[in-house]
Amino acid sequence: MIARLLYDKGYREYVEAARITKRDYPNVQFLLLGSIDVEYPNHVPSDVVQRDDASGAIRYLGYAGDVGSVMRKSDCIVLPSYHEGMSRVLMEACAMGKPIITSDISGCRETVEDGRNGYLVPPMDKVALTDAIRRFLYLSDDARSRMGLYSRQLAESRFDVRDVIKVYRRITG
């Protein structure tokens, strides 16, 4: 999960899904990358993050300017957000050919074709999130690879910057 540490990015659901999943899959790592935004009223306090890290549910990596290095090492990008604009993290995940598990909300669903390059889950639903993570874990390496390839294809067809520039020029033209 790569996000500002806000409860409405799905922090609680991510940590709880990690706890539940690790009961059966203790070697699976749930990484969390992002800064604590203390200016935001619904931020996750640092003591909560530290407690969840110390419990082993997640591994908190803090903030990194280069999210690509963490993304490259990850098998799947998870963002169980409650609301988004267009998620830059998920667009980057697609561009890097990563499978995605995210909320079925505007700003996230545009990056996933359910079952093809990841899974969509209802927001605020830790059970559905846990089920999606388990479905991903059950996949063969070949199936995971196909999901990643499809993410890359989606990025090329939906998020190509040249197409965005064409639309912008047409609008401002």
Side-chain angles (χ1 to χ4, degrees):
M1 180 174 166
I2 302 170
R4 289 181 301 147
L5 301 189
L6 310 174
Y7 285 115
D8 38 348
K9 293 289 184 182
Y11 177 86
R12 282 186 190 99
E13 292 78 7
Y14 183 71
V15 171
E16 190 57 31
R19 279 194 178 98
I20 294 167
T21 302
K22 287 175 87 56
R23 290 180 199 149
D24 295 326
Y25 300 93
N27 295 327
V28 173
Q29 289 190 54
F30 287 84
L31 306 177
L32 178 61
L33 180 67
S35 60
I36 297 173
D37 187 351
V38 295
E39 300 299 317
Y40 192 83
N42 206 18
H43 74 275
V44 181
S46 62
D47 62 318
V48 171
V49 177
Q50 290 169 1
R51 183 192 68 222
D52 291 335
D53 181 73
S55 77
I58 59 166
R59 187 165 145 232
Y60 180 53
L61 304 176
Y63 171 82
D66 176 23
V67 299
S69 62
V70 174
M71 230 183 248
R72 270 189 285 287
K73 296 175 191 173
S74 300
D75 295 315
C76 182
I77 304 302
V78 178
L79 182 64
S81 186
Y82 303 172
H83 50 84
E84 286 293 319
M86 188 62 202
S87 172
R88 183 174 171 183
V89 164
L90 296 181
M91 286 189 291
E92 290 171 355
C94 282
M96 293 184 77
K98 294 296 177 179
I100 297 168
I101 299 172
T102 192
S103 300
D104 189 4
I105 60 169
S106 180
C108 292
R109 76 170 63 96
E110 293 80 3
T111 63
V112 175
E113 288 187 19
D114 196 51
R116 299 272 323 261
N117 71 313
Y119 301 110
L120 294 170
V121 298
M124 299 183 237
D125 189 337
K126 69 181 180 194
V127 173
L129 180 61
T130 303
D131 289 345
I133 291 168
R134 287 176 182 251
R135 275 185 285 157
F136 181 78
L137 291 172
Y138 294 148
L139 294 174
S140 67
D141 289 342
D142 185 54
R144 290 180 188 187
S145 180
R146 283 193 310 270
M147 274 190 165
L149 288 171
Y150 195 72
S151 275
R152 177 63 190 183
Q153 291 171 351
L154 281 180
E156 290 173 359
S157 66
R158 291 184 183 173
F159 310 122
D160 186 324
V161 70
R162 291 171 295 218
D163 293 333
V164 172
I165 290 169
K166 285 179 194 174
V167 170
Y168 175 78
R169 285 188 177 146
R170 191 174 62 237
I171 291 169
T172 62

